[in-house]
């Protein structure tokens, strides 16, 4: 693909580093975000600014979206200043987590308007996004996936094509996220118990990360965001609750019981009302409050 016509809509915590990787790889880039302030770093680095999604569509064959909710995705694609009211890009690639039903619906509506759609959620977190080492999970028309592959290979080190039906990648992403949040909640519980017992949290992690209990929370989230008390991994509690709800929705459609996911979802719903916009790693504070300890590496 010629590096001449890429737009990125949604330059939040994980969208911004992905867009920056595209810019570094010499893709002339136009960006749009709900607030221009969230894209200033990219604009300063050479990206062009589009006031609306429609304006971005005027300048790009390939549009990436990375948005926090299905409502935002619908507005960006089909709203009065959305992509469908602007130019006609060849393909829209959604990097968000929206669930399989909405991915299929959005793809069908874009296709009806002559625009291809690739369902391509990403996983790996903000640190790996900065390094261009995300995993891109893609489903959709094989030719369009190949058209987008040079850009995918800029933001990700692993590209997995799930199938040709939009929504399939979403299902795999929700499976990944359910396991991610389960590991996070279980690690919070275990680490708080260890600290309450008087054990240094770094010692616990040293054992776990060289043993059979290691997971994404012990290897990444606790060392990088919880022990330093920065709580800046990237995803919010609102996003975690949304993803778990989507997983439960898929399970309900398939008539599959999900006792583990249901309980983990309830934990986040308990934490959500007063901590929705905080980082998902702050879930540990709920366990800390219950135990009267703090898991800190300081």
């Amino acid at each position: 693909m010629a590096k001449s016509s890429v737009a990125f809509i949604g330059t939040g915590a994980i969208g911004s580093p992905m867009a920056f990787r595209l810019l570094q790889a010499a893709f002339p880039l136009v960006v749009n975000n709900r607030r221009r302030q969230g894209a200033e770093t990219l604009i300063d680095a050479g990206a062009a600014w589009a006031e609306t999604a429609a304006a971005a569509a005027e300048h790009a064959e390939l549009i990436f979206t990375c948005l926090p909710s299905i409502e935002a995705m619908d507005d960006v694609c089909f709203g009065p200043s959305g992509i469908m009211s602007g130019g006609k890009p060849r393909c829209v690639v959604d990097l968000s987590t929206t669930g399989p039903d909405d991915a299929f619906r959005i793809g069908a509506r874009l296709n009806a308007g002559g625009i291809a759609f690739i369902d391509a959620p990403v996983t790996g977190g903000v640190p790996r996004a900065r390094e261009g080492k995300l995993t891109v999970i893609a489903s959709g028309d094989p030719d369009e996936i190949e058209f987008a592959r040079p850009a995918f290979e800029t933001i990700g080190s692993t590209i997995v094509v799930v199938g040709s039906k939009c929504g399939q990648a979403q299902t795999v992403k929700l499976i990944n996220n359910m396991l991610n949040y389960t590991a996070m909640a279980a690690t919070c519980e275990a680490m708080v118990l260890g600290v309450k017992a008087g054990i240094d949290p770094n010692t616990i992690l040293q054992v776990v990360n060289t043993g059979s209990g290691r997971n994404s929370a012990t290897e990444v989230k606790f060392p990088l965001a919880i022990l330093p008390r920065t709580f800046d991994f990237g995803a919010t509690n609102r996003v975690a609750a949304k993803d778990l709800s989507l997983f439960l929705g898929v399970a309900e459609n398939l008539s599959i019981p999900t006792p583990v996911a249901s309980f983990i979802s309830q934990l986040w719903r308990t934490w959500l009302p007063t901590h929705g916009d905080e980082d998902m790693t702050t879930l540990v504070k709920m366990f800390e409050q219950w135990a009267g300890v703090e898991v800190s590496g300081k």
Side-chain angles (χ1 to χ4, degrees):
M1 187 192 74
K3 297 179 179 179
S4 59
S5 55
V6 179
F8 203 104
I9 300 174
T11 56
I14 197 165
S16 184
M18 284 192 282
F20 193 69
R21 294 290 305 183
L22 292 167
L23 198 59
Q24 285 183 313
F27 285 88
L29 190 68
V30 59
V31 295
N32 169 258
N33 193 53
R34 183 175 58 174
R35 298 185 183 90
R36 178 177 171 130
Q37 182 180 2
E40 288 290 353
T41 301
L42 288 160
I43 296 168
D44 290 344
W49 168 252
E51 286 289 344
T52 64
E58 295 283 353
H59 299 285
E61 284 186 280
L62 180 63
I63 297 182
F64 287 98
T65 57
C66 188
L67 302 163
S69 68
I70 189 58
E71 293 80 12
M73 184 64 181
D74 276 335
D75 185 59
V76 160
C77 289
F78 312 120
S81 299
I83 291 168
M84 291 281 282
S85 66
K88 185 166 283 188
R90 170 171 169 168
C91 184
V92 172
V93 178
D94 186 28
L95 304 168
S96 322
T97 304
T98 58
D101 291 345
D102 280 312
F104 184 82
R105 174 183 61 82
I106 289 167
R109 190 169 173 184
L110 286 170
N111 291 166
I115 300 172
F117 179 72
I118 300 173
D119 167 29
V122 296
T123 185
V126 173
R128 293 182 71 83
R130 295 188 183 113
E131 298 170 354
K133 294 182 178 179
L134 292 169
T135 294
V136 180
I137 315 161
S139 61
D141 185 292
D143 290 338
E144 299 304 323
I145 290 174
E146 289 309 305
F147 175 69
R149 186 175 290 275
F152 285 157
E153 291 175 345
T154 299
I155 64 176
S157 56
T158 302
I159 317 300
V160 179
V161 178
V162 179
S164 60
K165 180 181 175 181
C166 286
Q168 291 177 311
Q170 287 292 326
T171 299
V172 175
K173 174 65 185 297
L174 292 176
I175 292 167
N176 174 84
N177 283 13
M178 178 271 186
L179 292 170
N180 175 39
Y181 298 132
T182 299
M184 176 64 192
T187 303
C188 288
E189 183 173 288
M191 291 293 290
V192 165
L193 183 147
V195 171
K196 184 74 171 183
I199 304 169
D200 181 84
N202 288 295
T203 300
I204 301 170
L205 291 181
Q206 182 181 6
V207 172
V208 171
N209 285 334
T210 55
S212 58
R214 65 188 181 276
N215 59 65
S216 60
T218 63
E219 292 184 323
V220 181
K221 298 179 186 71
F222 268 76
L224 295 184
I226 294 176
L227 295 193
R229 310 301 287 184
T230 55
F231 301 107
D232 57 354
F233 184 72
T236 66
N237 292 305
R238 196 175 309 283
V239 167
K242 179 262 294 182
D243 291 353
L244 287 164
S245 178
L246 288 171
F247 179 90
L248 293 175
V250 173
E252 183 177 1
N253 289 341
L254 295 172
S255 300
I256 295 174
T258 53
V260 174
S262 297
F263 181 72
I264 300 302
S265 179
Q266 181 57 50
L267 282 176
W268 253 282
R269 288 199 302 271
T270 299
W271 190 237
L272 184 64
T274 53
H275 303 276
D277 293 324
E278 295 174 2
D279 195 85
M280 57 91 79
T281 55
T282 62
L283 184 74
V284 72
K285 294 182 180 181
M286 181 167 67
F287 291 88
E288 291 174 338
Q289 290 169 9
W290 293 340
V293 298
E294 180 178 286
V295 181
S296 173
K298 292 183 177 181

